[in-house]
Amino acid sequence: MKYFPKTVTVGDDMECLCVIPKSTINPTDITYKIADGTAQQLCSPETPNLHLSYGTEYMSNYYVSDWKHMIAYIKTSYEPGMYLEHRVEIYNQLQTGTFPVSVYYKNTLLRTCQVSVISIDEDAVKERQWINEIEQNAWTNDMSVMKKLKAIEQYIYDNYTYTTDGIMCNAGAEALLFAARDLGLTARYRFVGPQYDYEKGFGDVYYHFGSAFCGGHVCTIITIDGKEYIMETQGHEG
């Protein structure tokens, strides 16, 4: 456990808390408790981020603090074959603050790290500001929730280009994700693989904020009144 510190100070770059060197430990025997359990997971705990991209077999994403006053994102992952197979990463720091991250083995607490974020990630803040500006320009008070989401789609397509501005599907998915959560809705990214089937869910992989794009199309799944809607947007060609 010497690789998992008791305290850590995080600046504007990603900080990785390495946990356990390569071993025969079953990845499901290692669990984490973040911010004393108040961190919000980006997808249902019953549907963990299981995928094969870049060798990672297990990944679970969280954000610390409430959505509109977020401190940072946390990613826990297991990647077999690496010297440090179990990892916790802290990134996209949006404001300063502190929170604990605890690691457990078979529900037994091994160690708690007290994390102090002392500076923000300027790129992450700029992305948040960009999406705020889109919302302000695209929305009117009399719009329904669905009309607001459709307005985000159309505004991005009308006002940005795919080539010159570089507003591709991953940026569009991020904007829709933020907009949905700003409206109090549940939303998540979905990477559309080459054999994806919308009805059956083949190729379903979850990503979020800055890691949505991995070589294919990305859309956003938004839940409204218990029904899931597939939404996507990007800048027009030009």
Side-chain angles (χ1 to χ4, degrees):
M1 290 300 292
K2 66 181 181 180
Y3 299 98
F4 196 76
K6 292 184 178 179
T7 61
V8 65
T9 300
V10 184
D12 57 353
D13 294 326
M14 177 185 289
E15 180 72 26
C16 181
L17 310 178
C18 297
V19 182
I20 299 173
K22 186 175 181 180
S23 68
T24 58
I25 293 175
N26 188 321
T28 58
D29 290 338
I30 300 292
T31 56
Y32 304 94
K33 186 176 181 181
I34 299 166
D36 288 333
T38 60
Q40 300 183 56
Q41 196 165 13
L42 287 160
C43 68
S44 169
E46 287 75 34
T47 312
N49 301 350
L50 297 172
H51 61 93
L52 298 176
S53 298
Y54 304 114
T56 304
E57 286 196 356
Y58 176 83
M59 181 172 69
S60 192
N61 296 305
Y62 306 84
Y63 57 90
V64 177
S65 190
D66 63 280
W67 174 250
K68 292 188 177 181
H69 303 91
M70 193 186 310
I71 296 176
Y73 282 107
I74 310 294
K75 179 173 75 175
T76 62
S77 62
Y78 168 72
E79 187 170 354
M82 301 291 288
Y83 175 66
L84 293 159
E85 295 181 321
H86 300 266
R87 287 187 297 239
V88 179
E89 296 171 334
I90 302 160
Y91 63 105
N92 284 345
Q93 301 87 306
L94 290 169
Q95 67 173 339
T96 59
T98 61
F99 53 89
V101 176
S102 300
V103 58
Y104 291 80
Y105 173 68
K106 293 185 176 180
N107 297 319
T108 298
L109 176 63
L110 298 181
R111 181 168 293 176
T112 295
C113 175
Q114 189 65 31
V115 178
S116 296
V117 176
I118 62 169
S119 62
I120 62 175
D121 181 336
E122 293 289 352
D123 289 338
V125 172
K126 287 178 182 177
E127 288 180 350
R128 171 75 267 196
Q129 292 172 341
W130 174 67
I131 295 166
N132 286 346
E133 291 172 3
I134 291 175
E135 292 176 356
Q136 292 169 7
N137 293 330
W139 290 351
T140 61
N141 292 332
D142 60 342
M143 285 181 174
S144 66
V145 166
M146 181 56 78
K147 284 185 177 180
K148 286 186 175 181
L149 294 171
K150 290 290 187 182
I152 295 290
E153 284 184 320
Q154 195 64 45
Y155 185 90
I156 289 176
Y157 182 80
D158 290 342
N159 290 277
Y160 299 94
T161 64
Y162 184 91
T163 51
T164 304
D165 296 325
I167 303 303
M168 302 178 186
C169 58
N170 53 328
E174 180 184 353
L176 284 166
L177 179 89
F178 271 65
R181 291 195 175 132
D182 287 342
L183 293 168
L185 303 173
T186 299
R188 65 184 186 273
Y189 286 144
R190 176 167 284 174
F191 166 69
V192 183
Q195 296 180 326
Y196 190 81
D197 184 307
Y198 276 124
E199 297 299 323
K200 297 180 180 179
F202 296 150
D204 189 8
V205 183
Y206 298 102
Y207 289 86
H208 76 94
F209 197 70
S211 60
F213 184 75
C214 73
H217 186 60
V218 183
C219 60
T220 307
I221 308 300
I222 301 171
T223 304
I224 304 175
D225 295 329
K227 183 178 179 180
E228 291 189 340
Y229 294 85
I230 299 169
M231 305 193 76
E232 53 197 347
T233 188
Q234 61 189 29
H236 64 274
E237 294 291 338

